[in-house]
Amino acid sequence: MSTANFIDMCAVCKQGVPKETMTYQKGRVFHIQCFESQGSTFPVIDSELAQMSARTRIELVQMKNLKVRSDAEEITKKVTKPKKKTAKKSKSKPKKTSKPKKSKAKKSKKKTKRR
């Protein structure tokens, strides 16, 4: 059986629900058989409470990320020590440049005029 058909998970049996055998009741997805047998035990989802719960989870994750980042910054500050300033070193002697080689003088050719 291919998993491409599965839309969501059944609230009762926690298995994938194919589109053909699903029913959406009380803000949840059920197999038709599962809803008939145990669907009445599930209360209707309070949308306000669900939104508040989602926002709270997001804020919790953001706070954890912030704590991890601040802890990492503290660790890097402890590990990396500030560099000590050292006295200036004296300048090294300039490198000797080789003298340019003299090129041999070319013999000049006499130009003749053409008439």
Side-chain angles (χ1 to χ4, degrees):
M1 189 179 222
S2 147
T3 58
N5 299 8
F6 297 120
I7 302 298
D8 212 344
M9 304 298 280
C10 177
V12 175
C13 66
K14 306 293 185 204
Q15 293 181 2
V17 183
K19 191 173 186 177
E20 306 84 41
T21 62
M22 77 177 229
T23 181
Y24 187 77
Q25 299 290 327
K26 299 182 181 182
R28 294 183 175 87
V29 174
F30 296 94
H31 288 104
I32 295 172
Q33 314 85 294
C34 293
F35 181 72
E36 289 173 357
S37 64
Q38 299 178 15
S40 60
T41 61
F42 286 87
V44 178
I45 295 176
D46 183 8
S47 62
E48 230 178 271
L49 185 61
Q51 286 177 348
M52 193 182 334
S53 174
R55 268 190 254 119
T56 305
R57 277 188 254 124
I58 291 170
E59 289 174 2
L60 179 63
V61 169
Q62 289 173 338
M63 294 297 282
K64 285 181 180 178
N65 289 345
L66 181 63
K67 184 177 184 326
V68 168
R69 274 188 257 128
S70 64
D71 290 348
E73 286 177 3
E74 288 177 15
I75 290 171
T76 55
K77 285 179 182 177
K78 289 178 183 177
V79 170
T80 57
K81 296 178 183 176
K83 293 182 180 179
K84 295 180 182 178
K85 293 186 178 181
T86 57
K88 289 186 178 180
K89 294 182 180 179
S90 62
K91 292 184 179 180
S92 61
K93 294 181 181 179
K95 293 183 179 179
K96 293 182 180 179
T97 58
S98 60
K99 293 181 183 178
K101 295 181 180 180
K102 292 183 181 179
S103 61
K104 294 182 181 179
K106 292 183 180 179
K107 294 181 182 178
S108 61
K109 293 182 180 179
K110 291 185 181 181
K111 294 184 180 180
T112 56
K113 286 187 180 180
R114 288 193 178 187
R115 292 187 194 179

